[in-house]
Amino acid sequence: MSAQREDWTAADNPVAPDPSVEPASETAVPLLNIANILTILRILLVPVFLVVLFVGDGHSTTWRLIATGVFAVAAITDRIDGQLARKHGLVTDFGKLADPIADKALIGAALVGLSILGDLPWWVTAVIAVRELGITLLRFAVLRHAVIPAGRGGKLKTLVQTIAIGFYLLPLPDGFDVLGWVLMGAAVLLTVVTGLDYVVQAVRLRAGVLEVEANASTGA
């Protein structure tokens, strides 16, 4: 997926661009490459995971182990597709958008599923879901000007969320409850902090675009 952008260069902008924001651009990389295929596979595994999670009463030890396995496979593809894309030059605008969306779909499905089963408080799911949905809409809102890729903070947030969810999915003894809560608490904190960071990036990007447009209209 290629995105249109404003026809302006860094030289036209008196304010140095944010290095964490990558301009959306045309690319010669084929859309159907191994990295994007793995991303699509992760999206397709989401409904499979949900079906397995809810087999029986949702608390069968065997099926919870299978659900955890499906979740783990889907989560691992996130690391693999990113590495392949960077190593082999397969980074595309589609991948920049689809990869975080795939992560959000997997994480969101797991959180909602665990809350429906009564294993996770709904407020945790609500906080993370609102943040993820808001950032996804924000990405599309600024797509005309640039693609905001997942930063290190966002990747750490996803990793901690994944590990925390894994603890909740596994049929572990009660003694692991405290560790699960600590991990989920860290995930919620990172979710909120990184969400605010994305908002700041988007505001700076928009401010820079408006300044360039104002200079262009006045001939400055």
Side-chain angles (χ1 to χ4, degrees):
M1 180 187 299
S2 299
Q4 295 181 344
R5 59 175 178 173
E6 293 293 321
D7 185 19
W8 55 276
T9 64
D12 299 321
N13 188 356
V15 180
D18 189 334
S20 64
V21 177
E22 300 180 10
S25 60
E26 297 294 334
T27 176
V29 179
L31 181 62
L32 193 62
N33 59 63
I34 184 61
N36 287 344
I37 289 175
L38 286 174
T39 299
I40 295 172
L41 174 63
R42 186 157 71 258
I43 295 175
L44 294 178
L45 282 176
V46 171
V48 176
F49 162 73
L50 285 175
V51 169
V52 175
L53 179 63
F54 284 101
V55 170
D57 62 357
H59 291 96
S60 165
T61 298
T62 299
W63 285 105
R64 285 297 281 260
L65 288 173
I66 295 175
T68 304
V70 175
F71 180 82
V73 170
I76 290 172
T77 64
D78 176 40
R79 183 172 182 82
I80 295 176
D81 64 14
Q83 290 179 337
L84 288 174
R86 291 187 294 271
K87 182 178 180 180
H88 299 288
L90 300 176
V91 177
T92 63
D93 286 341
F94 171 82
K96 293 176 187 177
L97 286 173
D99 184 68
I101 289 175
D103 294 337
K104 290 170 175 53
L106 178 64
I107 296 296
L111 293 172
V112 171
L114 288 170
S115 292
I116 291 175
L117 292 174
D119 297 334
L120 183 69
W122 274 104
W123 71 263
V124 174
T125 297
V127 169
I128 296 178
V130 169
R131 183 274 190 194
E132 302 295 10
L133 178 60
I135 296 304
T136 298
L137 295 176
L138 184 62
R139 285 176 182 273
F140 280 106
V142 301
L143 182 59
R144 177 169 174 258
H145 307 295
V147 174
I148 303 179
R152 292 182 179 180
K155 293 176 182 177
L156 176 61
K157 175 267 303 179
T158 301
L159 175 62
V160 176
Q161 285 179 347
T162 301
I163 295 174
I165 289 172
F167 268 82
Y168 276 84
L169 287 173
L170 285 170
L172 297 172
D174 293 340
F176 287 89
D177 290 348
V178 175
L179 180 56
W181 262 110
V182 170
L183 288 171
M184 190 59 73
V188 171
L189 179 61
L190 285 170
T191 297
V192 174
V193 171
T194 55
L196 294 175
D197 179 60
Y198 278 120
V199 172
V200 170
Q201 289 187 54
V203 170
R204 288 177 176 173
L205 173 63
R206 182 57 182 165
V209 171
L210 290 176
E211 184 173 352
V212 170
E213 292 175 344
N215 290 339
S217 63
T218 60

